[in-house]
Amino acid sequence: MSVQAAVTSGAGDVALGCAYALDSGQTSFLNPHSGQRTGPPEARLPLLTAGQDRFPRLSIDLRQVRSLARAVFVLYSSSGTAVTWAGALLISTQAGSRIDVPLEPAPAAVALAAVTLYQVEGEIVLRAERDPATSPREACMNFGYHTIAWLDDAHVVS
């Protein structure tokens, strides 16, 4: 499954990150701007992979979906300035299924918890949130990711 942040060029330095909780209880935040490209970082076969096509992208290996309990996809300004959100989060599968989640009418903010994902008995449930926050850390905390160890408001201890 692929998640892309299709935002207008006028939005500035928008990045896409993902807080996740595994069924083992492990939690973290995948932040490609900190150099972390896979999650979990020590996994031989990563569940999450970050990349860049036309837009920032995160991929989830659906063969391992039962090990993923939940996730929240967070858009944020890597410079820490408020962004007027315009565009959409594009979620698609290899089979051609696609969901586009418009970012409007989310208010301007440094970070935006755009979509949550829950895995229920191997099935994926997505919910549009569009919840503004002052940082990626706050966006994650607002959705119950309290056990992630943070260096600052945007970077985790890896």
Side-chain angles (χ1 to χ4, degrees):
M1 183 171 85
S2 174
V3 179
Q4 292 187 61
V7 294
T8 63
S9 58
D13 57 345
V14 173
L16 173 63
C18 178
Y20 59 91
L22 303 180
D23 63 353
S24 66
Q26 178 183 2
T27 60
S28 192
F29 181 72
L30 178 59
N31 178 354
H33 277 217
S34 67
Q36 184 183 2
R37 297 268 180 221
T38 62
E42 73 285 349
R44 210 184 50 169
L45 186 60
L47 173 66
L48 297 156
T49 307
Q52 178 83 31
D53 295 325
R54 181 174 171 206
F55 304 112
R57 175 184 39 81
L58 294 172
S59 299
I60 298 175
D61 182 354
L62 292 180
R63 295 170 297 181
Q64 302 181 63
V65 73
R66 288 187 181 270
S67 66
L68 178 65
R70 63 192 181 104
V72 60
F73 298 99
V74 178
L75 297 164
Y76 62 97
S77 165
S78 51
S79 67
T81 58
V83 173
T84 301
W85 301 106
L89 202 65
L90 313 176
I91 304 167
S92 60
T93 66
Q94 291 285 17
S97 297
R98 182 169 153 168
I99 297 172
D100 296 349
V101 179
L103 301 177
E104 302 92 359
V110 172
L112 184 71
V115 171
T116 51
L117 176 152
Y118 295 89
Q119 184 270 126
V120 181
E121 296 182 13
E123 302 290 327
I124 294 174
V125 178
L126 298 169
R127 178 185 159 113
E129 302 290 352
R130 295 186 287 260
D131 187 41
T134 59
S135 69
R137 179 182 188 169
E138 180 184 270
C140 296
M141 298 285 280
N142 289 346
F143 284 88
Y145 291 90
H146 301 287
T147 59
I148 297 173
W150 295 85
L151 289 172
D152 58 32
D153 281 342
H155 301 92
V156 296
V157 176
S158 50

